[in-house]
Amino acid sequence: MKRSLTGIKPTGEIHLGNYIGAIKPALDLTKNHDAYYFVANGHALTQAHQKKSLEMSTNGVVATWLALGLDPNKSVLYRQSSIPEIFELSWVLATLSPKGLMNRAHAYKAIVDENKRAERDLDSGVNMGLYTYPILMAADILLLQPDLVPVGRDQIQHIEMARELGLAMKRKHGMSIRLPDASIMEDVAVLPGLDGRKMSKSYGNTIPIFLEKEELKKRINKIKTDSLLPHEPKESATSNVFQLYQVFATADEVNAMKEAFQKGISWGEAKAELFTVMNRTLEEPRESYKEWMSKPKEMKRLLQEGAERVRNEATPFLQNIKNEIGLG
Ligand code: TRP
């Protein structure tokens, strides 16, 4: 079986865009892959040092994976911080990484551009962890030698950088290291957010995945629509409400909704229907999430098991690398 590996950085609430665009397709790989899932809590430190909220969101990501169907008996679940080998490998990779490679990272460049625009010091707000974020991510990946790394589009560059650093190891030390492919979820829907732009935390237009029923209803009511009157025909193709509906409804329901748009369904009704199909999908995971969150000890046990499995192979793998490069 081929191996897949992917991580989620525990910062902020997980929303439907994450679920449809990344989590669901990644979990689908369990069927025919030796699948590794982890919480990139070390990466979260680049954004803030807040013990309580970091612990909470780390558990939140674990509970989310589990609530959405991750089966710890069929795949491996762990926290990045439980695997010291990742951080050790990260240092080795840093010494093989040209500084210019990091200068080209989109996330770093975006901050520099924003600083330029605001006429601030160009590196204002950039810590070294953020600057070398792609190196730590390369270590996450290369340490476990996956064939495939399922990620959203915004992460393609990071995977390319991981390949580049793996290649540097190969060239420098003649080591056999597997260079992973990014598995970009091409045919996965890009969900529109409340304002019609891509659903994204940075636009503040998200629908968090585990909102309580009433909150979910309220959030759906905030989806922007045009000002056509209730009985007027509406175009489904360009409607955010319809696009979201499509993702959660059955084929028959989608056809019926298309017709209802032509006939002139009111926005209020269309949103009520959207709530029905969304809530139908999310109800069970929502309860399961709450249940997992009330069992932190159980989650900890699962994470320890996962970490043990990872370290059983990571420790000799890293030792081998150290031997090769003269740190053995
Ligand atoms: N950078 C990824 C994100 O923000 C999270 C991540 C960290 C990751 N390490 C990884 C994803 C390794 C895949 C593989 O979404």
Side-chain angles (χ1 to χ4, degrees):
M1 262 208 284
K2 292 205 164 178
R3 176 174 293 186
S4 70
L5 173 145
T6 196
I8 297 180
K9 185 173 52 172
T11 46
E13 260 174 321
I14 293 180
H15 57 75
L16 289 178
N18 304 137
Y19 171 52
I20 297 298
I23 300 179
K24 190 166 181 288
L27 284 172
D28 285 343
L29 290 176
T30 306
K31 279 183 234 128
N32 48 2
H33 285 78
D34 174 24
Y36 285 63
Y37 304 98
F38 73 99
V39 189
N41 54 351
H43 275 112
L45 279 186
T46 63
Q47 273 163 268
H49 276 242
Q50 273 165 346
K51 176 178 147 82
K52 274 279 159 274
S53 85
L54 180 56
E55 285 169 349
M56 275 295 279
S57 25
T58 300
N59 275 344
V61 171
V62 174
T64 301
W65 279 125
L66 292 164
L68 295 174
L70 187 152
D71 178 348
N73 293 315
K74 298 200 177 120
S75 49
V76 187
L77 175 64
Y78 60 101
R79 288 183 315 177
Q80 186 184 39
S81 60
S82 311
I83 319 294
E85 289 82 0
I86 294 173
F87 300 93
E88 226 178 310
L89 179 59
S90 180
W91 173 254
V92 176
L93 296 176
T95 61
L96 287 169
S97 171
K99 177 166 177 282
L101 185 67
M102 294 302 108
N103 290 342
R104 290 196 290 278
H106 299 319
Y108 167 69
K109 266 172 51 183
I111 299 175
V112 171
D113 286 348
E114 177 56 25
N115 283 337
K116 206 178 280 177
R117 204 195 51 77
E119 296 181 8
R120 285 189 292 257
D121 181 87
L122 292 190
D123 278 328
S124 166
V126 179
N127 61 63
M128 285 307 288
L130 191 127
Y131 186 63
T132 59
Y133 185 109
I135 300 179
L136 181 58
M137 182 158 161
D140 292 331
I141 296 169
L142 296 174
L143 183 69
L144 285 161
Q145 296 285 281
D147 300 279
L148 171 113
V149 183
V151 284
R153 248 167 224 299
D154 61 326
Q155 297 294 314
I156 299 179
Q157 191 195 31
H158 287 152
I159 310 294
E160 282 166 358
M161 289 176 164
R163 289 176 62 96
E164 202 145 329
L165 295 177
L167 200 59
M169 291 282 279
K170 270 189 152 159
R171 289 220 186 94
K172 205 80 194 160
H173 299 287
M175 253 173 245
S176 73
I177 280 202
R178 186 177 296 135
L179 305 179
D181 287 319
S183 128
I184 307 305
M185 298 130 185
E186 294 285 359
D187 48 357
V188 163
V190 173
L191 286 205
L194 301 176
D195 59 359
R197 291 185 291 175
K198 176 187 169 195
M199 190 180 290
S200 159
K201 206 177 66 184
S202 44
Y203 294 146
N205 64 358
T206 63
I207 303 179
I209 175 164
F210 295 130
L211 283 182
E212 289 295 338
K213 230 168 145 174
E214 286 312 309
E215 294 303 312
L216 178 62
K217 208 174 269 174
K218 274 191 213 152
R219 202 60 77 101
I220 289 174
N221 282 329
K222 286 194 186 138
I223 298 172
K224 254 203 207 140
T225 58
D226 56 34
S227 47
L228 288 173
L229 295 174
H231 59 276
E232 288 183 292
K234 299 173 178 67
E235 199 185 327
S236 53
T238 56
S239 158
N240 308 331
V241 177
F242 185 81
Q243 274 160 29
L244 287 166
Y245 186 80
Q246 249 179 339
V247 172
F248 295 92
T250 65
D252 286 347
E253 287 169 335
V254 172
N255 286 333
M257 184 56 82
K258 220 178 248 172
E259 259 175 53
F261 265 68
Q262 280 159 10
K263 283 191 192 139
I265 187 175
S266 74
W267 287 123
E269 276 172 90
K271 285 178 175 178
E273 294 293 331
L274 174 59
F275 168 76
T276 304
V277 294
M278 258 189 195
N279 192 54
R280 185 176 69 194
T281 309
L282 298 175
E283 208 155 29
E284 214 183 287
R286 181 195 298 138
E287 291 313 308
S288 167
Y289 174 80
K290 279 191 272 191
E291 209 180 309
W292 278 111
M293 285 303 269
S294 72
K295 297 188 292 196
K297 283 214 183 88
E298 178 74 357
M299 286 198 280
K300 197 169 175 189
R301 193 184 60 74
L302 288 176
L303 290 170
Q304 271 163 355
E305 279 173 18
E308 214 169 291
R309 286 174 66 180
V310 168
R311 294 198 69 196
N312 276 339
E313 58 178 294
T315 310
F317 183 77
L318 180 72
Q319 189 55 51
N320 193 28
I321 291 181
K322 286 168 73 174
N323 293 345
E324 292 285 332
I325 65 182
L327 292 178

